[in-house]
Structure formats: C-alpha cells, structure tokens
C-alpha cells in the first residue's frame, strides 16, 4: 500500500494495519527492533507481547473502552528492554490518568 510505504520513508510505521499483511507486520517489527523508525504506532494488539526498544510510549486509548489492568500492561511497553536509564509515557487524556490512579 502506497501510504504505508510513504509513512515508512518518513520514519513512521504501524505494527498492525488492515492495509498490510503478515509480511509487513514482521518487517515492521524487525525494523523497529533496529530503531529504524522515529514513531511506531500500534493498535490494541500492540499492548501484549511486543518487546521493542522504546523509551517513549504515547497512550491514545479510549478511557471508556479500557480497564485499569490493560492500562498498567500498556505502561510496561515503555523501557521494557532495560536499555534506557529513563522512559516516558505520554497520556492522550486526563481520563486515562484518572483511571490509572482510581
């Protein structure tokens, strides 16, 4: 898909997308492990089982469609590989922060 290739050339990739196939998903994961992208986006499936070397995660989840346990799991995506001395989580809404500390 042309838009996926354009994104990759600009340093943005998507882990799961209806426009890609299994080969695209595997290539995205392999390139992300080599830090080939500035921004890597993933859907809800990216919360579980993805071990990428990232020091910043932005959580843009719908607060009414996520529970606290899933939110805590998604926090674990950041700095998971232990390669960073610090990591950062950016929340897309105050409602997510309220859910985390509720």
């Amino acid at each position: 898909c042309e838009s996926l290739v354009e994104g990759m050339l600009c340093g943005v990739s998507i882990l799961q997308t209806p426009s890609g196939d299994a080969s695209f998903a595997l290539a995205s994961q392999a390139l992300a492990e080599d830090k080939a992208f500035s921004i890597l986006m993933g859907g809800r499936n990216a919360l579980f089982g993805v071990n990428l070397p990232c020091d910043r995660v932005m959580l843009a989840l719908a607060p009414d469609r996520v529970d606290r346990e899933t939110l805590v799991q998604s926090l674990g995506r950041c700095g998971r590989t232990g390669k960073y001395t610090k990591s950062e989580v950016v929340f897309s809404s105050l409602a997510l922060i309220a859910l985390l500390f509720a």
Side-chain angles (χ1 to χ4, degrees):
C1 182
E2 199 171 301
S3 60
L4 292 176
V5 173
E6 287 175 352
M8 292 176 94
L9 291 172
C10 294
V12 177
S13 185
I14 302 172
L15 284 177
Q16 296 96 15
T17 174
S19 302
D21 59 5
S23 297
F24 176 81
L26 289 172
S28 292
Q29 177 117 5
L31 289 169
E33 289 172 357
D34 292 336
K35 297 183 182 182
F37 304 118
S38 299
I39 299 172
L40 181 66
M41 296 184 296
R44 192 170 174 89
N45 294 336
L47 297 179
F48 302 97
V50 178
N51 297 313
L52 298 175
C54 59
D55 60 347
R56 180 179 296 149
V57 171
M58 179 170 186
L59 298 178
L61 304 168
D64 58 337
R65 298 181 64 198
V66 66
D67 59 8
R68 187 174 188 277
E69 181 179 312
T70 302
L71 187 58
V72 169
Q73 175 72 21
S74 63
L75 290 173
R77 300 297 99 201
C78 194
R80 184 173 179 101
T81 58
K83 294 182 179 180
Y84 303 99
T85 57
K86 66 176 186 170
S87 58
E88 179 181 10
V89 177
V90 179
F91 293 90
S92 65
S93 71
L94 291 175
L96 284 174
I97 298 172
L99 176 64
L100 181 63
F101 293 107

XYZ file of all heavy atoms in Angstrom:
749
model
N 0.848 -1.181 0.000
C 0.000 0.000 0.000
C 0.897 1.250 0.000
O 1.847 1.347 0.778
C -0.911 -0.016 1.213
S -2.042 1.364 1.287
N 0.585 2.160 -0.849
C 1.410 3.347 -1.037
C 1.543 4.190 0.227
O 2.631 4.670 0.550
C 0.788 4.188 -2.157
C 1.725 5.179 -2.771
C 1.116 5.819 -3.997
O 0.775 5.085 -4.941
O 0.991 7.044 -3.983
N 0.461 4.370 0.958
C 0.519 5.210 2.163
C 1.398 4.580 3.248
O 2.069 5.287 4.000
C -0.881 5.486 2.699
O -1.531 4.278 3.028
N 1.428 3.256 3.340
C 2.298 2.596 4.317
C 3.765 2.815 3.972
O 4.587 3.089 4.842
C 1.996 1.097 4.380
C 0.639 0.705 4.950
C 0.444 -0.799 4.845
C 0.494 1.163 6.381
N 4.099 2.708 2.693
C 5.478 2.919 2.266
C 5.883 4.381 2.481
O 6.981 4.669 2.957
C 5.657 2.505 0.790
C 7.047 2.880 0.291
C 5.423 1.022 0.637
N 4.995 5.318 2.174
C 5.279 6.735 2.400
C 5.558 6.997 3.874
O 6.485 7.720 4.226
C 4.117 7.605 1.931
C 3.995 7.698 0.437
C 2.761 8.460 -0.002
O 1.901 8.797 0.854
O 2.636 8.718 -1.207
N 4.751 6.404 4.745
C 4.966 6.557 6.186
C 6.303 6.011 6.626
O 7.026 6.639 7.400
N 6.660 4.836 6.117
C 7.930 4.230 6.489
C 9.111 5.085 6.024
O 10.107 5.214 6.725
C 8.031 2.813 5.928
C 7.044 1.858 6.582
S 7.078 0.228 5.836
C 8.225 -0.580 6.938
N 8.992 5.681 4.846
C 10.058 6.547 4.353
C 10.193 7.822 5.182
O 11.255 8.440 5.217
C 9.812 6.900 2.882
C 9.979 5.743 1.900
C 9.528 6.160 0.506
C 11.416 5.242 1.879
N 9.114 8.203 5.878
C 9.128 9.395 6.738
C 9.467 9.054 8.183
O 9.433 9.918 9.052
C 7.779 10.103 6.677
S 7.413 10.797 5.070
N 9.752 7.782 8.483
C 10.133 7.389 9.833
C 8.973 6.976 10.711
O 9.098 6.913 11.927
N 7.819 6.667 10.108
C 6.632 6.260 10.863
C 6.202 4.889 10.365
O 6.112 4.657 9.162
C 5.471 7.259 10.660
C 4.227 6.793 11.394
C 5.873 8.649 11.108
N 5.945 3.985 11.285
C 5.456 2.669 10.898
C 4.308 2.248 11.804
O 4.152 2.766 12.909
C 6.568 1.625 10.966
O 6.098 0.387 10.475
N 3.548 1.308 11.318
C 2.380 0.793 12.045
C 2.570 -0.703 12.216
O 2.893 -1.407 11.252
C 1.086 1.085 11.266
C 0.935 2.584 11.036
C -0.117 0.518 11.985
C -0.216 2.959 10.123
N 2.371 -1.198 13.436
C 2.537 -2.631 13.669
C 1.405 -3.448 13.057
O 1.635 -4.432 12.392
C 2.621 -2.918 15.167
C 3.936 -2.567 15.825
C 3.858 -2.824 17.315
C 5.070 -3.362 15.223
N 0.180 -3.070 13.327
C -0.961 -3.793 12.780
C -1.810 -2.830 11.964
O -2.162 -1.761 12.447
C -1.847 -4.382 13.880
C -1.173 -5.430 14.718
C -0.598 -4.866 16.000
O -0.921 -3.758 16.395
N 0.266 -5.609 16.632
N -2.117 -3.222 10.750
C -2.953 -2.396 9.902
C -3.722 -3.272 8.925
O -3.180 -4.273 8.447
C -2.122 -1.351 9.137
O -2.966 -0.651 8.223
C -0.982 -1.973 8.377
N -4.961 -2.927 8.651
C -5.719 -3.701 7.661
C -5.114 -3.619 6.260
O -5.340 -4.480 5.431
C -7.104 -3.049 7.669
C -7.172 -2.248 8.916
C -5.776 -1.908 9.292
N -4.308 -2.585 6.004
C -3.699 -2.415 4.682
C -2.482 -3.308 4.472
O -2.055 -3.517 3.347
C -3.277 -0.957 4.486
O -4.366 -0.096 4.628
N -1.905 -3.813 5.551
C -0.714 -4.648 5.444
C -1.051 -6.116 5.584
O -2.195 -6.498 5.807
N -0.044 -6.942 5.468
C -0.227 -8.380 5.647
C 0.777 -8.876 6.686
O 1.458 -8.077 7.333
C -0.074 -9.110 4.315
C 1.297 -8.874 3.666
O 2.159 -8.226 4.295
O 1.489 -9.344 2.540
N 0.881 -10.175 6.847
C 1.785 -10.743 7.850
C 3.240 -10.369 7.557
O 4.010 -10.104 8.471
C 1.623 -12.254 7.907
N 3.611 -10.336 6.286
C 4.985 -9.968 5.925
C 5.289 -8.533 6.324
O 6.377 -8.233 6.819
C 5.204 -10.127 4.415
O 5.053 -11.463 4.048
N 4.329 -7.635 6.119
C 4.511 -6.246 6.507
C 4.673 -6.131 8.022
O 5.537 -5.407 8.507
C 3.331 -5.389 6.042
C 3.416 -3.968 6.502
C 4.213 -3.061 5.821
C 2.725 -3.534 7.621
C 4.319 -1.745 6.246
C 2.821 -2.229 8.060
C 3.619 -1.329 7.366
N 3.854 -6.860 8.764
C 3.927 -6.810 10.229
C 5.287 -7.308 10.721
O 5.893 -6.705 11.610
C 2.797 -7.622 10.843
N 5.780 -8.398 10.154
C 7.086 -8.929 10.550
C 8.213 -7.965 10.176
O 9.149 -7.769 10.954
C 7.320 -10.290 9.897
C 6.471 -11.439 10.429
C 6.652 -12.682 9.566
C 6.819 -11.734 11.873
N 8.111 -7.355 8.996
C 9.139 -6.392 8.577
C 9.133 -5.175 9.491
O 10.187 -4.679 9.881
C 8.901 -5.982 7.129
N 7.947 -4.689 9.849
C 7.844 -3.535 10.751
C 8.468 -3.843 12.095
O 9.201 -3.026 12.655
C 6.384 -3.126 10.944
O 5.863 -2.602 9.769
N 8.179 -5.016 12.622
C 8.733 -5.405 13.922
C 10.254 -5.506 13.856
O 10.965 -5.009 14.726
C 8.129 -6.734 14.377
C 8.704 -7.241 15.670
C 7.711 -7.329 16.781
O 6.531 -7.101 16.583
N 8.174 -7.668 17.944
N 10.776 -6.132 12.803
C 12.228 -6.287 12.670
C 12.912 -4.928 12.522
O 13.942 -4.676 13.148
C 12.544 -7.177 11.470
N 12.351 -4.047 11.712
C 12.934 -2.715 11.539
C 12.833 -1.894 12.813
O 13.735 -1.121 13.136
C 12.254 -1.995 10.375
C 12.595 -2.537 8.990
C 11.669 -1.950 7.944
C 14.047 -2.246 8.652
N 11.747 -2.056 13.558
C 11.589 -1.325 14.819
C 12.624 -1.776 15.839
O 13.145 -0.965 16.601
C 10.180 -1.527 15.364
N 12.936 -3.064 15.852
C 13.963 -3.569 16.771
C 15.331 -2.981 16.446
O 16.185 -2.866 17.312
C 13.994 -5.094 16.727
C 12.783 -5.722 17.382
C 12.692 -7.221 17.183
O 13.555 -7.802 16.478
O 11.749 -7.815 17.713
N 15.535 -2.609 15.195
C 16.788 -1.961 14.778
C 16.710 -0.444 14.881
O 17.590 0.255 14.382
C 17.128 -2.349 13.343
C 17.502 -3.807 13.211
O 17.932 -4.407 14.217
O 17.368 -4.351 12.104
N 15.645 0.067 15.497
C 15.417 1.506 15.679
C 15.422 2.259 14.350
O 15.997 3.327 14.220
C 16.453 2.106 16.620
C 16.397 1.544 18.020
C 17.403 2.241 18.892
C 17.386 1.643 20.283
N 18.312 2.304 21.170
N 14.773 1.693 13.353
C 14.715 2.313 12.032
C 13.633 3.388 11.944
O 13.595 4.118 10.969
C 14.460 1.242 10.968
N 12.772 3.486 12.950
C 11.662 4.431 12.903
C 11.739 5.416 14.053
O 12.183 5.085 15.145
C 10.315 3.713 13.001
C 10.116 2.668 11.952
C 9.947 1.347 12.298
C 10.115 3.006 10.609
C 9.773 0.379 11.337
C 9.943 2.046 9.642
C 9.768 0.721 10.002
N 11.262 6.622 13.807
C 11.115 7.599 14.881
C 9.831 7.351 15.644
O 9.751 7.546 16.845
C 11.087 9.021 14.307
O 12.278 9.296 13.634
N 8.802 6.935 14.919
C 7.486 6.708 15.515
C 6.981 5.349 15.063
O 6.990 5.039 13.871
C 6.475 7.790 15.102
C 6.963 9.162 15.574
C 5.088 7.488 15.646
C 6.145 10.315 15.046
N 6.548 4.547 16.005
C 5.967 3.253 15.712
C 4.598 3.207 16.353
O 4.472 3.382 17.565
C 6.849 2.127 16.264
C 6.375 0.717 16.007
C 6.430 0.412 14.513
C 7.233 -0.273 16.767
N 3.577 3.020 15.553
C 2.211 3.002 16.076
C 1.699 1.573 16.116
O 2.071 0.747 15.287
C 1.303 3.850 15.181
C 1.683 5.309 15.167
S 0.552 6.323 14.210
C 0.775 5.683 12.585
N 0.853 1.324 17.084
C 0.261 0.005 17.180
C -1.137 0.109 17.736
O -1.458 1.037 18.475
N -1.939 -0.821 17.388
C -3.298 -0.864 17.903
C -3.342 -1.545 19.249
O -2.324 -1.734 19.929
N -4.511 -1.942 19.637
C -4.706 -2.595 20.931
C -3.858 -3.859 21.053
O -3.398 -4.213 22.128
C -6.191 -2.896 21.107
C -6.573 -3.292 22.493
C -8.093 -3.321 22.592
N -8.507 -3.835 23.854
C -8.694 -3.100 24.937
N -8.502 -1.817 24.889
N -9.070 -3.655 26.070
N -3.622 -4.543 19.935
C -2.816 -5.761 19.966
C -1.365 -5.492 20.337
O -0.654 -6.390 20.757
C -2.868 -6.461 18.608
C -4.247 -6.973 18.289
O -5.048 -7.214 19.184
N -4.539 -7.130 17.014
N -0.898 -4.270 20.163
C 0.490 -3.938 20.484
C 0.731 -3.892 21.991
O 1.872 -3.840 22.428
C 0.871 -2.595 19.860
N -0.335 -3.925 22.780
C -0.173 -3.867 24.231
C 0.418 -5.146 24.799
O 1.019 -5.147 25.853
C -1.518 -3.610 24.910
C -2.197 -2.294 24.587
C -3.527 -2.228 25.320
C -1.336 -1.126 24.978
N 0.230 -6.245 24.112
C 0.634 -7.535 24.652
C 1.640 -8.211 23.738
O 1.424 -8.343 22.545
C -0.586 -8.446 24.816
C -1.633 -7.841 25.708
C -2.708 -7.158 25.165
C -1.513 -7.914 27.088
C -3.662 -6.582 25.991
C -2.459 -7.343 27.911
C -3.533 -6.676 27.357
N 2.773 -8.605 24.298
C 3.726 -9.419 23.568
C 4.696 -8.676 22.669
O 5.461 -9.304 21.964
N 4.689 -7.362 22.676
C 5.618 -6.617 21.841
C 6.784 -6.160 22.706
O 6.591 -5.471 23.691
C 4.923 -5.403 21.182
C 5.916 -4.600 20.363
C 3.771 -5.861 20.315
N 7.971 -6.549 22.356
C 9.167 -6.176 23.110
C 10.072 -5.340 22.224
O 11.019 -5.837 21.637
C 9.905 -7.421 23.604
C 9.063 -8.212 24.563
O 8.478 -7.643 25.468
N 8.994 -9.506 24.364
N 9.775 -4.092 22.106
C 10.551 -3.205 21.248
C 11.388 -2.265 22.100
O 10.986 -1.889 23.197
C 9.619 -2.404 20.344
C 8.772 -3.235 19.386
C 7.812 -2.345 18.632
C 9.655 -3.998 18.423
N 12.550 -1.868 21.607
C 13.408 -0.948 22.361
C 12.903 0.490 22.259
O 13.345 1.257 21.434
C 14.768 -1.120 21.689
C 14.425 -1.495 20.282
C 13.161 -2.291 20.358
N 11.946 0.834 23.092
C 11.412 2.197 23.033
C 11.563 2.866 24.396
O 11.481 2.225 25.425
C 9.955 2.199 22.600
S 8.876 1.259 23.665
N 11.812 4.156 24.367
C 11.919 4.903 25.614
C 10.745 5.856 25.804
O 10.656 6.522 26.819
C 13.235 5.669 25.687
C 13.399 6.665 24.567
O 12.631 6.613 23.600
O 14.315 7.499 24.647
N 9.828 5.907 24.838
C 8.645 6.757 24.966
C 7.448 6.053 24.338
O 7.534 5.549 23.234
C 8.861 8.094 24.272
C 7.640 9.005 24.392
C 7.865 10.346 23.733
N 8.926 11.041 24.446
C 9.759 11.895 23.863
N 9.666 12.169 22.601
N 10.689 12.488 24.578
N 6.354 6.017 25.079
C 5.109 5.431 24.602
C 4.008 6.453 24.785
O 3.902 7.073 25.841
C 4.755 4.144 25.392
C 3.368 3.642 25.057
C 5.791 3.073 25.143
N 3.203 6.642 23.756
C 2.028 7.505 23.873
C 0.798 6.625 23.925
O 0.587 5.803 23.036
C 1.915 8.468 22.701
C 0.695 9.331 22.822
S 0.699 10.641 21.615
C -0.735 11.536 22.160
N 0.022 6.796 24.967
C -1.192 6.013 25.142
C -2.386 6.832 24.666
O -2.773 7.810 25.297
C -1.373 5.620 26.605
C -0.264 4.750 27.178
C -0.521 4.466 28.643
C -0.126 3.471 26.398
N -2.940 6.428 23.550
C -4.111 7.097 22.983
C -5.272 6.115 22.994
O -5.861 5.810 21.969
C -3.814 7.590 21.575
N -5.560 5.595 24.167
C -6.636 4.623 24.336
C -7.917 5.345 24.742
O -7.865 6.376 25.403
C -6.254 3.604 25.414
C -4.949 2.847 25.185
C -4.545 2.093 26.437
C -5.096 1.902 24.015
N -9.030 4.771 24.375
C -10.324 5.331 24.782
C -10.588 4.932 26.229
O -10.671 3.740 26.526
C -11.433 4.826 23.872
N -10.695 5.892 27.140
C -10.845 5.569 28.566
C -12.082 4.717 28.876
O -12.058 3.928 29.810
C -10.967 6.937 29.239
C -10.487 7.925 28.255
C -10.655 7.327 26.902
N -13.106 4.857 28.087
C -14.325 4.077 28.336
C -14.247 2.665 27.757
O -15.128 1.848 27.975
C -15.546 4.809 27.781
C -15.436 5.097 26.293
O -14.312 5.137 25.776
O -16.490 5.287 25.656
N -13.164 2.360 27.029
C -13.030 1.033 26.425
C -11.827 0.261 26.941
O -11.437 -0.749 26.368
C -12.936 1.179 24.910
C -14.200 1.797 24.320
C -14.139 1.920 22.835
N -14.065 0.592 22.245
C -13.656 0.369 21.003
N -13.279 1.360 20.252
N -13.619 -0.860 20.532
N -11.206 0.750 28.026
C -10.030 0.097 28.584
C -10.204 -0.018 30.101
O -10.805 0.841 30.730
C -8.746 0.885 28.214
C -8.712 2.234 28.870
C -7.498 0.112 28.555
N -9.700 -1.110 30.667
C -9.760 -1.248 32.117
C -8.384 -0.938 32.709
O -7.394 -0.769 31.994
C -10.240 -2.641 32.521
C -9.352 -3.759 31.987
O -8.280 -3.476 31.434
O -9.741 -4.927 32.126
N -8.328 -0.867 34.015
C -7.086 -0.480 34.698
C -5.960 -1.482 34.430
O -4.808 -1.111 34.219
C -7.342 -0.348 36.193
C -6.158 0.215 36.942
C -6.508 0.468 38.419
N -5.437 1.164 39.064
C -4.333 0.564 39.554
N -4.197 -0.740 39.464
N -3.393 1.278 40.134
N -6.291 -2.762 34.426
C -5.280 -3.798 34.199
C -4.630 -3.652 32.815
O -3.417 -3.757 32.677
C -5.927 -5.179 34.325
C -4.954 -6.320 34.138
C -5.631 -7.657 34.292
O -6.376 -7.842 35.265
O -5.401 -8.519 33.432
N -5.421 -3.387 31.809
C -4.886 -3.188 30.458
C -4.029 -1.934 30.400
O -2.987 -1.905 29.734
C -6.039 -3.090 29.444
O -6.815 -4.286 29.518
C -5.515 -2.924 28.025
N -4.438 -0.904 31.115
C -3.667 0.333 31.148
C -2.302 0.110 31.798
O -1.276 0.567 31.287
C -4.451 1.413 31.889
C -3.869 2.809 31.876
C -3.704 3.315 30.452
C -4.751 3.756 32.663
N -2.266 -0.626 32.875
C -0.992 -0.940 33.539
C -0.116 -1.782 32.612
O 1.093 -1.564 32.516
C -1.246 -1.660 34.881
C 0.046 -2.219 35.456
C -1.900 -0.713 35.872
N -0.718 -2.728 31.905
C 0.030 -3.544 30.939
C 0.647 -2.672 29.850
O 1.793 -2.856 29.449
C -0.894 -4.588 30.306
C -0.275 -5.404 29.202
C 0.752 -6.404 29.686
O 0.752 -6.778 30.846
N 1.623 -6.827 28.803
N -0.103 -1.680 29.396
C 0.409 -0.801 28.342
C 1.544 0.083 28.849
O 2.442 0.438 28.084
C -0.721 0.046 27.753
O -1.267 0.899 28.720
N 1.546 0.432 30.129
C 2.669 1.190 30.695
C 3.965 0.389 30.616
O 5.047 0.951 30.480
C 2.384 1.559 32.150
C 1.301 2.592 32.397
C 1.017 2.711 33.883
C 1.668 3.929 31.816
N 3.849 -0.923 30.689
C 5.011 -1.795 30.636
C 5.696 -1.847 29.286
O 6.773 -2.404 29.144
N 5.083 -1.288 28.262
C 5.702 -1.262 26.931
C 6.907 -0.336 26.908
O 7.800 -0.497 26.091
C 4.718 -0.771 25.859
C 3.464 -1.593 25.694
C 3.766 -3.007 25.231
N 3.752 -3.887 26.378
C 4.328 -5.074 26.458
N 4.989 -5.544 25.455
N 4.266 -5.793 27.538
N 6.942 0.632 27.778
C 7.967 1.677 27.737
C 9.193 1.256 28.545
O 9.084 0.911 29.720
C 7.392 2.971 28.286
S 8.385 4.388 27.943
N 10.351 1.274 27.910
C 11.587 0.925 28.595
C 11.704 -0.544 28.938
O 12.480 -0.928 29.794
N 10.979 -1.384 28.257
C 10.891 -2.794 28.594
C 12.214 -3.544 28.466
O 12.500 -4.457 29.218
C 9.839 -3.456 27.709
C 9.605 -4.894 28.048
C 8.437 -5.427 27.260
N 8.221 -6.806 27.573
C 7.286 -7.260 28.395
N 6.472 -6.423 28.949
N 7.160 -8.528 28.637
N 13.022 -3.178 27.517
C 14.244 -3.943 27.270
C 15.367 -3.614 28.240
O 16.405 -4.251 28.211
C 14.735 -3.698 25.835
O 14.963 -2.306 25.672
C 13.734 -4.200 24.819
N 15.197 -2.608 29.075
C 16.216 -2.249 30.043
C 17.408 -1.520 29.451
O 18.449 -1.418 30.080
N 17.252 -0.995 28.237
C 18.356 -0.298 27.580
C 18.401 1.183 27.924
O 19.318 1.872 27.524
C 18.232 -0.455 26.066
C 18.400 -1.878 25.595
C 18.311 -1.962 24.098
C 18.501 -3.393 23.644
N 18.430 -3.515 22.187
N 17.419 1.674 28.648
C 17.330 3.102 28.923
C 17.389 3.361 30.418
O 16.907 2.569 31.215
C 16.021 3.671 28.359
C 15.882 3.433 26.877
C 15.122 2.383 26.394
C 16.542 4.237 25.972
C 15.013 2.147 25.044
C 16.441 4.020 24.613
C 15.672 2.973 24.158
O 15.574 2.745 22.819
N 17.988 4.493 30.807
C 18.025 4.852 32.216
C 16.720 5.510 32.648
O 16.429 5.579 33.829
C 19.188 5.816 32.501
O 19.059 6.966 31.671
C 20.518 5.137 32.239
N 15.962 6.015 31.689
C 14.650 6.570 31.998
C 13.740 6.337 30.805
O 14.200 6.114 29.685
C 14.727 8.057 32.319
C 15.139 8.923 31.158
C 15.103 10.379 31.526
C 15.381 11.225 30.266
N 15.136 12.606 30.491
N 12.460 6.378 31.053
C 11.478 6.236 29.989
C 10.313 7.168 30.279
O 10.162 7.668 31.392
C 11.014 4.789 29.863
O 10.467 4.335 31.085
N 9.500 7.396 29.269
C 8.432 8.382 29.379
C 7.147 7.814 28.781
O 7.168 7.198 27.712
C 8.843 9.644 28.621
C 7.836 10.740 28.619
C 8.315 11.951 27.823
O 9.335 11.860 27.120
O 7.653 12.974 27.913
N 6.046 8.030 29.482
C 4.726 7.670 28.985
C 3.930 8.954 28.827
O 3.861 9.763 29.753
C 3.994 6.703 29.941
C 2.598 6.410 29.434
C 4.788 5.419 30.108
N 3.352 9.146 27.654
C 2.541 10.323 27.368
C 1.086 9.864 27.274
O 0.774 8.944 26.522
C 2.974 10.988 26.040
C 2.107 12.194 25.735
C 4.445 11.365 26.092
N 0.215 10.486 28.054
C -1.205 10.139 28.046
C -1.963 11.094 27.129
O -1.737 12.295 27.159
C -1.791 10.230 29.460
C -1.244 9.193 30.398
C -0.118 9.448 31.160
C -1.845 7.960 30.504
C 0.402 8.492 32.017
C -1.336 6.994 31.357
C -0.222 7.262 32.118
N -2.892 10.556 26.355
C -3.655 11.389 25.428
C -4.809 12.110 26.104
O -5.381 13.011 25.513
C -4.186 10.547 24.272
O -5.118 9.601 24.758
N -5.151 11.710 27.325
C -6.246 12.378 28.019
C -6.070 12.259 29.540
O -5.429 11.338 30.037
C -7.590 11.782 27.620
O -7.733 10.481 28.158
N -6.653 13.205 30.239
C -6.625 13.169 31.716
C -7.448 12.001 32.247
O -7.179 11.486 33.322
C -7.146 14.480 32.283
C -6.245 15.703 32.056
C -6.930 16.976 32.552
C -4.915 15.519 32.768
N -8.425 11.570 31.480
C -9.268 10.445 31.907
C -8.452 9.165 32.062
O -8.735 8.336 32.939
C -10.418 10.245 30.925
N -7.435 8.977 31.223
C -6.577 7.800 31.357
C -5.771 7.855 32.650
O -5.612 6.839 33.330
C -5.628 7.692 30.166
C -6.226 7.199 28.864
C -5.196 7.280 27.742
C -6.741 5.786 28.998
N -5.281 9.018 32.984
C -4.531 9.180 34.234
C -5.452 8.923 35.429
O -5.064 8.232 36.375
C -3.886 10.570 34.311
C -2.885 10.749 33.180
C -3.203 10.779 35.656
C -2.338 12.139 33.038
N -6.656 9.431 35.368
C -7.631 9.224 36.450
C -7.944 7.741 36.598
O -8.059 7.232 37.712
C -8.904 10.027 36.172
N -8.065 7.027 35.473
C -8.341 5.591 35.516
C -7.174 4.843 36.165
O -7.374 3.923 36.935
C -8.591 5.079 34.098
C -8.815 3.569 33.944
C -10.083 3.145 34.670
C -8.892 3.209 32.478
N -5.962 5.274 35.867
C -4.788 4.607 36.401
C -4.718 4.742 37.917
O -4.372 3.812 38.624
C -3.532 5.209 35.768
C -2.199 4.601 36.193
C -2.125 3.138 35.781
C -1.051 5.385 35.598
N -5.059 5.902 38.442
C -4.948 6.147 39.878
C -6.257 6.007 40.629
O -6.319 6.338 41.803
C -4.354 7.549 40.120
C -2.925 7.635 39.668
C -2.593 8.328 38.522
C -1.918 7.000 40.375
C -1.277 8.404 38.091
C -0.597 7.070 39.941
C -0.274 7.766 38.802
N -7.261 5.483 39.977
C -8.569 5.294 40.635
C -8.556 4.112 41.569
O -7.806 3.224 41.490
C -9.661 5.127 39.593
